[in-house]
Amino acid sequence: MRILKILAILALVITLLGAGTLLYTLETRTPKATETFPEIVNATADIARFEGYRNALEEERYAGRVFSSEDLLDAGQYTFLNIRLRLANNCLLPMEWITAEVVPEEGDVLEARDQNPHVLNARSSGDLTLQVLTHQDTLGQGRRIKISYYILGQKYETEIQVTF
């Protein structure tokens, strides 16, 4: 009889620990942007990159996202928004196939980002970078960044605001 009591208590403790672990995992499944490193760079200051994007667009071999089909003429009219996000995965499960993309605003021309799949192991952090070419006069207050990722094959999405 005493053994059955001990087994019942042990089963209850294991069940409570399992439920607590599951609730913690569900609560922490959204990555946190612990730091953002936004930078505004005039396209004339990085003319080589601007020319590379212009040539790639003209030759229709640009691999990133294009928001506007306009011809890039004068680098002085454009600005690069360089964004580096430090994401923290506080979940007990790894986050896989993490991508970050900008939600385009008026004046945005193109987006360049790392196309490689990223993984954040449990309880770790890492950086994602992306770059937006936009018109000089339409910088605004910042950009929304959509982050997509998978946990155990289930897709999740979240948005963060980056202020310049």
Side-chain angles (χ1 to χ4, degrees):
M1 190 56 113
R2 183 177 170 147
I3 292 179
L4 290 177
K5 255 187 187 179
I6 292 172
L7 289 176
I9 291 172
L10 186 60
L12 178 64
V13 168
I14 290 172
T15 302
L16 289 175
L17 285 174
T21 302
L22 178 64
L23 289 174
Y24 178 80
T25 300
L26 290 174
E27 186 64 31
T28 59
R29 70 178 180 253
T30 303
K32 303 291 184 224
T34 58
E35 294 180 73
T36 59
F37 304 96
E39 178 185 35
I40 299 173
V41 178
N42 192 308
T44 56
D46 196 353
I47 195 70
R49 182 173 292 180
F50 179 81
E51 292 292 332
Y53 289 153
R54 179 168 51 190
N55 292 338
L57 287 171
E58 287 174 357
E59 297 169 7
E60 297 181 2
R61 59 176 176 80
Y62 182 71
R65 292 174 57 204
V66 179
F67 307 124
S68 173
S69 60
E70 67 185 73
D71 291 332
L72 302 178
L73 301 174
D74 179 26
Q77 298 176 351
Y78 299 96
T79 301
F80 287 115
L81 305 177
N82 300 322
I83 304 166
R84 184 168 52 112
L85 304 170
R86 178 152 301 142
L87 298 178
N89 176 10
N90 295 323
C91 188
L92 298 176
L93 300 170
M95 294 178 179
E96 301 170 321
W97 292 92
I98 302 169
T99 59
E101 59 186 32
V102 70
V103 177
E105 292 189 7
E106 185 178 337
D108 290 349
V109 179
L110 59 85
E111 171 192 79
R113 61 185 164 97
D114 185 3
Q115 300 292 333
N116 296 323
H118 294 274
V119 174
L120 271 180
N121 291 322
R123 313 285 298 160
S124 68
S125 63
D127 291 351
L128 292 175
T129 59
L130 57 113
Q131 184 177 68
V132 178
L133 179 66
T134 188
H135 282 275
Q136 185 86 17
D137 56 350
T138 58
L139 291 178
Q141 294 298 315
R143 294 293 186 274
R144 291 180 317 175
I145 309 296
K146 184 173 82 170
I147 300 170
S148 303
Y149 57 98
Y150 288 83
I151 297 179
L152 295 177
Q154 178 69 39
K155 184 176 183 177
Y156 295 94
E157 293 181 344
T158 187
E159 279 190 8
I160 62 168
Q161 180 73 27
V162 175
T163 306
F164 291 93

